[in-house]
Amino acid sequence: MDKLDSLNRNLIVFPAVDSSNKIEPKQAKRNLRDSIYRELNKKDKHIYLTFDDGPLIGSRAIDSIATAKDTKVSAFLVGKHANMSKRLKNDFERYAKNPLVECYNHSYTHAGNKFHAFYSNPDLALADFDKCEEALSLKHKIVRMPGRNIWLFDDVRRVDLTSGSQTADLLGTKGYSIYGWDVEWKIHGLSGNPVQSVNEIYTRIRTMLGNKSTLKPNNVVLLMHDDMFQNKKGQQLLVALIDSLKKHKDYHFEFISTYPHKY
């Protein structure tokens, strides 16, 4: 995997054609990539089911499905939601006590859904994430930034929108790792229902694992939202997706705290 990273970053130099080398650099690069892919295809694949914005009405069902299916899930939580009602506080506590659920930081206020304004003041944004960590007693310094698909961990820095970049870098200096997503199971804004079918999401995951187009090959992070699963139909779709993925013996569900799995 490290060799593929180096290849993608053009850090590997291939010699020009001469009397001792008959292979063009471009062909040599393709040959190396193909050989790495063949080896990666033999390895296990790692799936990260991540849920944003909880605790919300769908959180209890996610917790129950994780237990019933013996499947690890990662919950990115909004601090203020845990204090909005007794039910939501109880749902957060269920998450926190479930060994199949790990809880992470999705900010305290979810930026009030005014993302540009929120990220225009990185110090206040940092304070909001710190408040969430303290309010929920989170064990992991792991963040997903509301409204942004940003990655910042180890030597990785990938920013989708520049208005969140300063906040991301500040979070990084404070010891936070930031994780985005490879695939999004989108939510319908009015109904709260999942937009794509189970087969569409399943196929997308399979395709990205196959063509190594995820951020880290053989690792795929799926973004969902808790309120997608507040009714029976949504819950059945989640179960169907998990069942479809479980048919592959080389697929393993992981916590985002272990991302990425390397070989």
Side-chain angles (χ1 to χ4, degrees), residues 45-247:
K45 315 301 186 293
H46 304 277
I47 299 172
Y48 306 81
L49 302 180
T50 70
F51 299 85
D52 281 11
D53 299 350
L56 290 170
I57 299 302
S59 303
R60 189 170 301 182
I62 294 167
D63 180 85
S64 296
I65 290 169
T67 299
K69 292 297 175 179
D70 191 26
T71 299
K72 296 175 182 177
V73 304
S74 299
F76 285 90
L77 304 176
V78 176
K80 72 174 185 178
H81 289 175
N83 295 312
M84 287 174 59
S85 70
K86 184 176 180 179
R87 170 178 175 154
L88 292 181
K89 183 177 181 180
N90 289 338
D91 290 346
F92 162 66
E93 290 174 351
R94 286 177 59 141
Y95 268 167
K97 294 176 182 177
N98 189 340
L100 289 166
V101 179
E102 278 194 355
C103 298
Y104 311 110
N105 194 329
H106 197 43
S107 79
Y108 190 83
T109 63
H110 202 263
N113 292 324
K114 297 179 179 178
F115 305 116
H116 186 78
F118 180 74
Y119 294 121
S120 69
N121 191 323
D123 289 323
L124 288 180
L126 172 64
D128 197 73
F129 287 104
D130 285 342
K131 183 176 181 180
C132 181
E133 179 181 60
E134 181 178 357
L136 302 184
S137 299
L138 298 176
K139 300 175 183 177
H140 303 276
K141 291 192 77 68
I142 290 175
V143 160
R144 175 171 285 155
M145 296 174 61
R148 298 291 182 268
N149 188 4
I150 291 178
W151 304 76
L152 186 71
F153 65 95
D154 297 338
D155 62 344
V156 174
R157 184 182 186 273
R158 178 178 288 187
V159 175
D160 61 340
L161 296 173
T162 56
S163 66
S165 62
Q166 286 183 295
T167 298
D169 291 336
L170 185 57
L171 285 164
T173 65
K174 299 300 181 181
Y176 289 99
S177 296
I178 304 171
Y179 296 95
W181 61 90
D182 299 300
V183 182
E184 180 180 2
W185 198 352
K186 294 182 179 179
I187 182 172
H188 191 283
L190 296 177
S191 68
N193 294 326
V195 173
Q196 302 103 313
S197 69
V198 170
N199 187 60
E200 286 176 301
I201 293 300
Y202 168 75
T203 301
R204 181 65 172 155
I205 289 172
R206 292 270 293 156
T207 299
M208 294 188 76
L209 286 172
N211 62 23
K212 309 295 182 288
S213 58
T214 54
L215 179 70
K216 295 292 184 179
N218 285 8
N219 294 264
V220 59
V221 179
L222 173 63
L223 165 65
M224 298 167 280
H225 291 82
D226 284 44
D227 49 0
M228 293 167 61
F229 309 108
Q230 57 188 287
N231 58 47
K232 289 292 184 180
K233 182 179 179 180
Q235 293 157 24
Q236 290 168 355
L237 295 176
L238 178 58
V239 169
L241 178 63
I242 293 173
D243 286 344
S244 295
L245 295 170
K246 278 182 173 284
K247 291 178 182 178

